[in-house]
Amino acid sequence: MATPSGIGSRFNANFLANKLCGGSARKLIAGWWYTILALSLVLTIMSLWIVSTRSSGEGFCSVWTALILVLLSIGGTTIMRKFQNSIAVGFFIGAVVATAQLFFLVFLIYMGYDGDRRQSDLDTKEEMVIASFSLMQAILLGSFAAILGVYRSEILDRPRPQQASVFNGDVSFKGSAYDPPNFA
C-alpha cells in the first residue's frame, strides 16, 4: 500500500480503507466510484423528469449536469480500467474536482428555485430532492477526488519487470541498471 502524503489525509484515508475495505485502497477507490456511478444514474433519470415538468432554465441545468455525469462516468471508468498513467489520472482528478464544484453550484441553484417556488406558494418537494442529491453528489465527488489524490499511486500502472530480449547475445535488465551486450 502506498504511503499517503500529509498527516491528516493519511489518517483519514487509511481509516476509511481499514474500516470499509479491510485496508485495501483499490477496493476503497472502486467502491466509492461505484457509489458515484449509482447516484449519477439516479440523477440522470431525474433530469429526464425535470425536463418534462419544469421551466426551460431548470431543464437546461438538469440536461447539462446529466451530460457532464455521463461523460465523467464513461471517461472515469475508462481511465481507471485502461489508461492508468499519471497524465490520465491527473486529468481525471481535475475533472472530478470540477464536477464536484458544479454539483455544489447546482445544489445552490435548486435551493434558489425552492425559495422562488415557496414564495409563489407552490410545492417544493422536487427541488429539495434534487438539491439533496446534488449536494450528496458534490460531497461524494469531492471526497473521491481527495481519496484518489492520496492513493493515486495505487491506480497508476506499476512498471512491469523488463524481459531480456536477445538477438543472439546475453542482455539482462536488472531494475534500473542496464548491462550492455558484450560482442567481443
Side-chain angles (χ1 to χ4, degrees), residues 44-94:
T44 302
I45 291 170
M46 287 175 72
S47 75
L48 298 174
W49 173 77
I50 290 172
V51 167
S52 64
T53 61
R54 296 290 184 231
S55 69
S56 62
E58 283 183 81
F60 175 77
C61 180
S62 67
V63 168
W64 182 253
T65 55
L67 178 66
I68 296 292
L69 280 176
V70 168
L71 292 174
L72 182 72
S73 298
I74 293 169
T77 303
T78 303
I79 286 172
M80 290 187 6
R81 290 186 181 202
K82 189 173 183 184
F83 301 107
Q84 300 171 341
N85 56 46
S86 60
I87 292 174
V89 172
F91 180 79
F92 179 49
I93 291 172

Short mmCIF file of all heavy atoms in Angstrom, two decimals, residues 44-94:
data_model
loop_
_atom_site.label_atom_id
_atom_site.label_comp_id
_atom_site.label_asym_id
_atom_site.label_seq_id
_atom_site.Cartn_x
_atom_site.Cartn_y
_atom_site.Cartn_z
N THR A 44 -29.35 11.25 -13.52
CA THR A 44 -29.63 11.30 -14.96
C THR A 44 -31.09 10.98 -15.24
O THR A 44 -31.73 11.64 -16.06
CB THR A 44 -28.70 10.32 -15.71
OG1 THR A 44 -27.34 10.67 -15.43
CG2 THR A 44 -28.94 10.37 -17.20
N ILE A 45 -31.64 9.99 -14.56
CA ILE A 45 -33.07 9.67 -14.73
C ILE A 45 -33.94 10.81 -14.23
O ILE A 45 -34.93 11.17 -14.88
CB ILE A 45 -33.39 8.34 -14.01
CG1 ILE A 45 -32.72 7.18 -14.74
CG2 ILE A 45 -34.90 8.12 -13.92
CD1 ILE A 45 -32.76 5.86 -13.98
N MET A 46 -33.53 11.42 -13.12
CA MET A 46 -34.30 12.56 -12.60
C MET A 46 -34.27 13.74 -13.56
O MET A 46 -35.24 14.50 -13.65
CB MET A 46 -33.77 12.97 -11.23
CG MET A 46 -34.12 11.98 -10.13
SD MET A 46 -33.38 12.39 -8.55
CE MET A 46 -34.32 13.81 -8.08
N SER A 47 -33.17 13.91 -14.29
CA SER A 47 -33.08 15.03 -15.22
C SER A 47 -34.10 14.89 -16.35
O SER A 47 -34.64 15.88 -16.84
CB SER A 47 -31.67 15.17 -15.77
OG SER A 47 -31.42 14.18 -16.73
N LEU A 48 -34.36 13.66 -16.77
CA LEU A 48 -35.38 13.45 -17.80
C LEU A 48 -36.76 13.87 -17.30
O LEU A 48 -37.56 14.43 -18.04
CB LEU A 48 -35.39 11.99 -18.24
CG LEU A 48 -34.10 11.47 -18.87
CD1 LEU A 48 -34.19 9.97 -19.11
CD2 LEU A 48 -33.78 12.22 -20.14
N TRP A 49 -37.02 13.62 -16.04
CA TRP A 49 -38.30 14.02 -15.46
C TRP A 49 -38.38 15.54 -15.33
O TRP A 49 -39.42 16.14 -15.59
CB TRP A 49 -38.46 13.35 -14.09
CG TRP A 49 -39.64 13.83 -13.36
CD1 TRP A 49 -40.95 13.49 -13.57
CD2 TRP A 49 -39.64 14.76 -12.30
NE1 TRP A 49 -41.75 14.17 -12.69
CE2 TRP A 49 -40.97 14.95 -11.89
CE3 TRP A 49 -38.64 15.47 -11.63
CZ2 TRP A 49 -41.32 15.81 -10.87
CZ3 TRP A 49 -38.99 16.32 -10.61
CH2 TRP A 49 -40.32 16.48 -10.24
N ILE A 50 -37.27 16.17 -14.96
CA ILE A 50 -37.26 17.64 -14.79
C ILE A 50 -37.53 18.34 -16.10
O ILE A 50 -38.25 19.33 -16.15
CB ILE A 50 -35.92 18.09 -14.19
CG1 ILE A 50 -35.81 17.64 -12.75
CG2 ILE A 50 -35.75 19.59 -14.26
CD1 ILE A 50 -34.46 17.86 -12.15
N VAL A 51 -36.94 17.84 -17.19
CA VAL A 51 -37.13 18.47 -18.49
C VAL A 51 -38.61 18.51 -18.86
O VAL A 51 -39.09 19.50 -19.42
CB VAL A 51 -36.32 17.71 -19.58
CG1 VAL A 51 -36.72 18.13 -20.97
CG2 VAL A 51 -34.85 17.94 -19.36
N SER A 52 -39.34 17.48 -18.50
CA SER A 52 -40.75 17.42 -18.91
C SER A 52 -41.68 18.19 -17.98
O SER A 52 -42.81 18.48 -18.37
CB SER A 52 -41.20 15.96 -18.98
OG SER A 52 -41.15 15.37 -17.70
N THR A 53 -41.23 18.54 -16.77
CA THR A 53 -42.16 19.17 -15.83
C THR A 53 -41.80 20.57 -15.39
O THR A 53 -42.60 21.23 -14.76
CB THR A 53 -42.29 18.31 -14.55
OG1 THR A 53 -41.01 18.21 -13.93
CG2 THR A 53 -42.83 16.93 -14.88
N ARG A 54 -40.60 21.05 -15.68
CA ARG A 54 -40.15 22.35 -15.16
C ARG A 54 -39.85 23.34 -16.28
O ARG A 54 -39.97 23.05 -17.45
CB ARG A 54 -38.90 22.16 -14.28
CG ARG A 54 -39.14 21.33 -13.05
CD ARG A 54 -40.00 22.10 -12.08
NE ARG A 54 -40.15 21.36 -10.85
CZ ARG A 54 -41.31 21.10 -10.28
NH1 ARG A 54 -42.42 21.48 -10.85
NH2 ARG A 54 -41.37 20.45 -9.16
N SER A 55 -39.40 24.51 -15.86
CA SER A 55 -39.11 25.59 -16.81
C SER A 55 -37.89 25.24 -17.67
O SER A 55 -37.16 24.30 -17.39
CB SER A 55 -38.85 26.89 -16.05
OG SER A 55 -37.63 26.80 -15.33
N SER A 56 -37.68 26.05 -18.69
CA SER A 56 -36.55 25.79 -19.59
C SER A 56 -35.21 25.96 -18.89
O SER A 56 -34.26 25.25 -19.21
CB SER A 56 -36.64 26.68 -20.82
OG SER A 56 -36.55 28.05 -20.43
N GLY A 57 -35.11 26.87 -17.94
CA GLY A 57 -33.86 27.06 -17.20
C GLY A 57 -33.51 25.84 -16.36
O GLY A 57 -32.37 25.36 -16.37
N GLU A 58 -34.50 25.32 -15.65
CA GLU A 58 -34.27 24.11 -14.86
C GLU A 58 -33.99 22.91 -15.77
O GLU A 58 -33.16 22.06 -15.45
CB GLU A 58 -35.48 23.80 -13.98
CG GLU A 58 -35.58 24.65 -12.75
CD GLU A 58 -36.76 24.26 -11.88
OE1 GLU A 58 -36.63 23.28 -11.13
OE2 GLU A 58 -37.80 24.92 -11.99
N GLY A 59 -34.69 22.87 -16.90
CA GLY A 59 -34.48 21.77 -17.85
C GLY A 59 -33.07 21.78 -18.41
O GLY A 59 -32.42 20.74 -18.50
N PHE A 60 -32.60 22.96 -18.80
CA PHE A 60 -31.23 23.06 -19.32
C PHE A 60 -30.21 22.66 -18.26
O PHE A 60 -29.27 21.92 -18.55
CB PHE A 60 -30.93 24.47 -19.82
CG PHE A 60 -29.51 24.65 -20.26
CD1 PHE A 60 -29.09 24.15 -21.48
CD2 PHE A 60 -28.58 25.27 -19.43
CE1 PHE A 60 -27.78 24.28 -21.89
CE2 PHE A 60 -27.27 25.40 -19.83
CZ PHE A 60 -26.86 24.91 -21.05
N CYS A 61 -30.40 23.14 -17.05
CA CYS A 61 -29.48 22.82 -15.96
C CYS A 61 -29.43 21.31 -15.74
O CYS A 61 -28.35 20.73 -15.58
CB CYS A 61 -29.92 23.54 -14.69
SG CYS A 61 -28.86 23.24 -13.27
N SER A 62 -30.57 20.66 -15.74
CA SER A 62 -30.60 19.22 -15.48
C SER A 62 -30.01 18.43 -16.64
O SER A 62 -29.30 17.45 -16.42
CB SER A 62 -32.02 18.76 -15.17
OG SER A 62 -32.83 18.88 -16.31
N VAL A 63 -30.28 18.84 -17.87
CA VAL A 63 -29.72 18.13 -19.03
C VAL A 63 -28.21 18.32 -19.07
O VAL A 63 -27.46 17.37 -19.34
CB VAL A 63 -30.38 18.61 -20.34
CG1 VAL A 63 -29.62 18.12 -21.56
CG2 VAL A 63 -31.82 18.15 -20.40
N TRP A 64 -27.74 19.53 -18.79
CA TRP A 64 -26.30 19.78 -18.81
C TRP A 64 -25.58 18.95 -17.75
O TRP A 64 -24.55 18.34 -18.03
CB TRP A 64 -26.03 21.27 -18.58
CG TRP A 64 -24.58 21.61 -18.64
CD1 TRP A 64 -23.77 21.94 -17.59
CD2 TRP A 64 -23.75 21.63 -19.80
NE1 TRP A 64 -22.50 22.16 -18.03
CE2 TRP A 64 -22.45 21.98 -19.38
CE3 TRP A 64 -23.99 21.38 -21.15
CZ2 TRP A 64 -21.39 22.08 -20.27
CZ3 TRP A 64 -22.92 21.49 -22.03
CH2 TRP A 64 -21.65 21.84 -21.58
N THR A 65 -26.11 18.91 -16.55
CA THR A 65 -25.47 18.13 -15.50
C THR A 65 -25.53 16.63 -15.81
O THR A 65 -24.59 15.90 -15.51
CB THR A 65 -26.08 18.41 -14.12
OG1 THR A 65 -27.49 18.18 -14.15
CG2 THR A 65 -25.82 19.83 -13.67
N ALA A 66 -26.62 16.18 -16.42
CA ALA A 66 -26.71 14.77 -16.80
C ALA A 66 -25.66 14.44 -17.86
O ALA A 66 -25.02 13.38 -17.80
CB ALA A 66 -28.11 14.44 -17.31
N LEU A 67 -25.47 15.33 -18.82
CA LEU A 67 -24.45 15.12 -19.85
C LEU A 67 -23.06 15.08 -19.24
O LEU A 67 -22.25 14.20 -19.57
CB LEU A 67 -24.53 16.23 -20.91
CG LEU A 67 -23.51 16.17 -22.02
CD1 LEU A 67 -23.73 14.94 -22.89
CD2 LEU A 67 -23.56 17.43 -22.85
N ILE A 68 -22.78 15.99 -18.32
CA ILE A 68 -21.48 16.00 -17.64
C ILE A 68 -21.27 14.70 -16.87
O ILE A 68 -20.20 14.10 -16.88
CB ILE A 68 -21.37 17.21 -16.69
CG1 ILE A 68 -21.40 18.52 -17.48
CG2 ILE A 68 -20.13 17.13 -15.82
CD1 ILE A 68 -20.21 18.79 -18.35
N LEU A 69 -22.33 14.23 -16.19
CA LEU A 69 -22.23 12.98 -15.42
C LEU A 69 -21.97 11.78 -16.33
O LEU A 69 -21.17 10.90 -15.99
CB LEU A 69 -23.50 12.74 -14.61
CG LEU A 69 -23.61 13.50 -13.31
CD1 LEU A 69 -24.95 13.24 -12.66
CD2 LEU A 69 -22.49 13.13 -12.37
N VAL A 70 -22.65 11.72 -17.45
CA VAL A 70 -22.44 10.60 -18.38
C VAL A 70 -21.01 10.62 -18.90
O VAL A 70 -20.33 9.58 -18.93
CB VAL A 70 -23.47 10.65 -19.53
CG1 VAL A 70 -23.09 9.70 -20.64
CG2 VAL A 70 -24.86 10.34 -19.00
N LEU A 71 -20.52 11.79 -19.29
CA LEU A 71 -19.15 11.90 -19.79
C LEU A 71 -18.13 11.56 -18.71
O LEU A 71 -17.14 10.86 -18.96
CB LEU A 71 -18.89 13.30 -20.35
CG LEU A 71 -19.65 13.65 -21.63
CD1 LEU A 71 -19.43 15.11 -22.00
CD2 LEU A 71 -19.26 12.73 -22.75
N LEU A 72 -18.36 12.05 -17.49
CA LEU A 72 -17.44 11.74 -16.39
C LEU A 72 -17.47 10.25 -16.06
O LEU A 72 -16.43 9.64 -15.79
CB LEU A 72 -17.78 12.56 -15.15
CG LEU A 72 -16.85 12.36 -13.95
CD1 LEU A 72 -15.50 13.00 -14.23
CD2 LEU A 72 -17.46 12.92 -12.69
N SER A 73 -18.64 9.65 -16.10
CA SER A 73 -18.76 8.22 -15.79
C SER A 73 -18.02 7.36 -16.81
O SER A 73 -17.28 6.45 -16.45
CB SER A 73 -20.23 7.81 -15.74
OG SER A 73 -20.90 8.51 -14.72
N ILE A 74 -18.23 7.68 -18.08
CA ILE A 74 -17.55 6.91 -19.13
C ILE A 74 -16.05 7.15 -19.10
O ILE A 74 -15.25 6.21 -19.11
CB ILE A 74 -18.14 7.27 -20.52
CG1 ILE A 74 -19.58 6.78 -20.62
CG2 ILE A 74 -17.29 6.68 -21.64
CD1 ILE A 74 -20.33 7.30 -21.83
N GLY A 75 -15.66 8.42 -19.03
CA GLY A 75 -14.24 8.75 -19.01
C GLY A 75 -13.53 8.22 -17.78
O GLY A 75 -12.42 7.68 -17.87
N GLY A 76 -14.15 8.36 -16.63
CA GLY A 76 -13.53 7.90 -15.39
C GLY A 76 -13.37 6.40 -15.34
O GLY A 76 -12.32 5.88 -14.92
N THR A 77 -14.39 5.69 -15.77
CA THR A 77 -14.29 4.24 -15.79
C THR A 77 -13.23 3.78 -16.77
O THR A 77 -12.46 2.86 -16.49
CB THR A 77 -15.66 3.62 -16.14
OG1 THR A 77 -16.63 4.08 -15.19
CG2 THR A 77 -15.61 2.11 -16.10
N THR A 78 -13.14 4.44 -17.91
CA THR A 78 -12.11 4.10 -18.90
C THR A 78 -10.72 4.35 -18.35
O THR A 78 -9.82 3.52 -18.52
CB THR A 78 -12.33 4.91 -20.20
OG1 THR A 78 -13.64 4.66 -20.69
CG2 THR A 78 -11.30 4.54 -21.25
N ILE A 79 -10.53 5.48 -17.70
CA ILE A 79 -9.22 5.81 -17.14
C ILE A 79 -8.84 4.83 -16.04
O ILE A 79 -7.71 4.36 -15.98
CB ILE A 79 -9.19 7.27 -16.64
CG1 ILE A 79 -9.14 8.22 -17.83
CG2 ILE A 79 -7.98 7.51 -15.71
CD1 ILE A 79 -9.31 9.67 -17.49
N MET A 80 -9.79 4.50 -15.18
CA MET A 80 -9.46 3.62 -14.06
C MET A 80 -9.23 2.18 -14.51
O MET A 80 -8.56 1.42 -13.82
CB MET A 80 -10.53 3.69 -12.98
CG MET A 80 -10.48 5.02 -12.29
SD MET A 80 -11.50 5.32 -10.86
CE MET A 80 -12.26 3.86 -10.43
N ARG A 81 -9.78 1.79 -15.65
CA ARG A 81 -9.60 0.41 -16.11
C ARG A 81 -8.52 0.25 -17.16
O ARG A 81 -7.88 -0.79 -17.23
CB ARG A 81 -10.92 -0.13 -16.66
CG ARG A 81 -11.92 -0.34 -15.58
CD ARG A 81 -13.13 -1.00 -16.10
NE ARG A 81 -14.09 -1.16 -15.00
CZ ARG A 81 -15.03 -2.03 -14.99
NH1 ARG A 81 -15.20 -2.83 -16.02
NH2 ARG A 81 -15.86 -2.11 -13.98
N LYS A 82 -8.34 1.26 -18.02
CA LYS A 82 -7.47 1.06 -19.17
C LYS A 82 -6.26 2.01 -19.20
O LYS A 82 -5.15 1.56 -19.38
CB LYS A 82 -8.29 1.22 -20.44
CG LYS A 82 -7.56 0.82 -21.70
CD LYS A 82 -8.47 0.85 -22.90
CE LYS A 82 -7.74 0.39 -24.13
NZ LYS A 82 -8.55 0.48 -25.31
N PHE A 83 -6.49 3.29 -19.06
CA PHE A 83 -5.42 4.28 -19.21
C PHE A 83 -4.96 4.75 -17.84
O PHE A 83 -5.34 5.80 -17.37
CB PHE A 83 -5.91 5.48 -20.04
CG PHE A 83 -6.36 5.10 -21.41
CD1 PHE A 83 -7.70 5.09 -21.74
CD2 PHE A 83 -5.44 4.73 -22.37
CE1 PHE A 83 -8.12 4.73 -23.00
CE2 PHE A 83 -5.85 4.37 -23.64
CZ PHE A 83 -7.19 4.37 -23.96
N GLN A 84 -4.11 3.96 -17.22
CA GLN A 84 -3.72 4.24 -15.85
C GLN A 84 -2.33 4.88 -15.78
O GLN A 84 -1.47 4.44 -15.05
CB GLN A 84 -3.75 2.96 -15.03
CG GLN A 84 -5.13 2.35 -14.99
CD GLN A 84 -5.14 0.98 -14.38
OE1 GLN A 84 -4.13 0.31 -14.28
NE2 GLN A 84 -6.31 0.54 -13.96
N ASN A 85 -2.15 5.96 -16.56
CA ASN A 85 -0.88 6.68 -16.48
C ASN A 85 -1.09 7.98 -15.71
O ASN A 85 -2.21 8.36 -15.41
CB ASN A 85 -0.30 6.93 -17.88
CG ASN A 85 -1.25 7.68 -18.77
OD1 ASN A 85 -1.85 8.66 -18.37
ND2 ASN A 85 -1.41 7.20 -20.00
N SER A 86 0.00 8.64 -15.37
CA SER A 86 -0.09 9.80 -14.49
C SER A 86 -0.85 10.96 -15.12
O SER A 86 -1.58 11.68 -14.42
CB SER A 86 1.30 10.25 -14.06
OG SER A 86 2.08 10.61 -15.18
N ILE A 87 -0.73 11.16 -16.41
CA ILE A 87 -1.44 12.26 -17.06
C ILE A 87 -2.94 12.01 -17.04
O ILE A 87 -3.73 12.90 -16.72
CB ILE A 87 -0.93 12.46 -18.51
CG1 ILE A 87 0.50 12.98 -18.48
CG2 ILE A 87 -1.83 13.42 -19.28
CD1 ILE A 87 1.15 13.08 -19.83
N ALA A 88 -3.36 10.81 -17.38
CA ALA A 88 -4.79 10.48 -17.40
C ALA A 88 -5.39 10.56 -16.00
O ALA A 88 -6.49 11.10 -15.82
CB ALA A 88 -5.00 9.09 -17.99
N VAL A 89 -4.69 10.04 -15.00
CA VAL A 89 -5.22 10.08 -13.63
C VAL A 89 -5.27 11.52 -13.12
O VAL A 89 -6.24 11.92 -12.47
CB VAL A 89 -4.38 9.18 -12.69
CG1 VAL A 89 -4.79 9.36 -11.24
CG2 VAL A 89 -4.55 7.71 -13.09
N GLY A 90 -4.27 12.32 -13.45
CA GLY A 90 -4.29 13.74 -13.07
C GLY A 90 -5.43 14.49 -13.73
O GLY A 90 -6.12 15.30 -13.09
N PHE A 91 -5.65 14.23 -15.00
CA PHE A 91 -6.78 14.84 -15.71
C PHE A 91 -8.10 14.41 -15.08
O PHE A 91 -9.01 15.22 -14.89
CB PHE A 91 -6.74 14.44 -17.19
CG PHE A 91 -7.85 15.02 -18.00
CD1 PHE A 91 -7.79 16.33 -18.45
CD2 PHE A 91 -8.97 14.25 -18.31
CE1 PHE A 91 -8.83 16.87 -19.19
CE2 PHE A 91 -10.01 14.79 -19.05
CZ PHE A 91 -9.94 16.10 -19.49
N PHE A 92 -8.20 13.15 -14.73
CA PHE A 92 -9.41 12.61 -14.11
C PHE A 92 -9.67 13.26 -12.75
O PHE A 92 -10.80 13.64 -12.44
CB PHE A 92 -9.28 11.09 -13.98
CG PHE A 92 -10.46 10.43 -13.33
CD1 PHE A 92 -11.75 10.69 -13.74
CD2 PHE A 92 -10.27 9.52 -12.30
CE1 PHE A 92 -12.83 10.05 -13.14
CE2 PHE A 92 -11.33 8.89 -11.70
CZ PHE A 92 -12.62 9.16 -12.12
N ILE A 93 -8.62 13.42 -11.94
CA ILE A 93 -8.80 14.09 -10.64
C ILE A 93 -9.29 15.52 -10.85
O ILE A 93 -10.19 15.98 -10.15
CB ILE A 93 -7.48 14.06 -9.83
CG1 ILE A 93 -7.16 12.63 -9.39
CG2 ILE A 93 -7.57 14.96 -8.61
CD1 ILE A 93 -5.78 12.48 -8.76
N GLY A 94 -8.73 16.22 -11.82
CA GLY A 94 -9.18 17.58 -12.12
C GLY A 94 -10.63 17.63 -12.56
O GLY A 94 -11.40 18.50 -12.15
#
